[in-house]
Amino acid sequence: DTGLRAAHTVPWGVPAPGETPEAVRSIHVLGAGSLIRLKNWDLWLETVALAAQQQPGLKAVLCGDGPERRRLEQH
């Protein structure tokens, strides 16, 4: 924990009339990059898990490859 807190919250957005966010996007959060320890993907996974508690149905995808892949898949 860095002890830092966000100064602002970005809203989830407003769907176009007659459309739900699920109809517009099949992925809400995308992580992409080298799956190495330096990138701290564990924190990304924890953050997505917290967001999913507030936003049921949240869909997240982590794309990439690297030495941490197998371990992250088990997370």
Side-chain angles (χ1 to χ4, degrees):
D1 184 18
T2 64
L4 301 175
R5 298 292 172 246
H8 303 283
T9 301
V10 178
W12 286 99
V14 179
E19 295 186 45
T20 64
E22 291 76 22
V24 176
R25 293 187 175 105
S26 60
I27 300 171
H28 301 117
V29 181
L30 176 65
S34 297
L35 303 182
I36 59 175
R37 190 170 298 273
L38 177 66
K39 301 281 184 159
N40 202 1
W41 290 111
D42 288 307
L43 181 59
W44 185 86
L45 291 170
E46 292 169 16
T47 303
V48 168
L50 287 172
Q53 291 175 3
Q54 298 295 316
Q55 188 71 28
L58 180 83
K59 296 175 187 142
V61 174
L62 178 56
C63 300
D65 200 4
E68 292 286 293
R69 181 177 175 174
R70 290 190 200 274
R71 191 182 65 75
L72 291 166
E73 288 174 338
Q74 309 271 322
H75 201 286

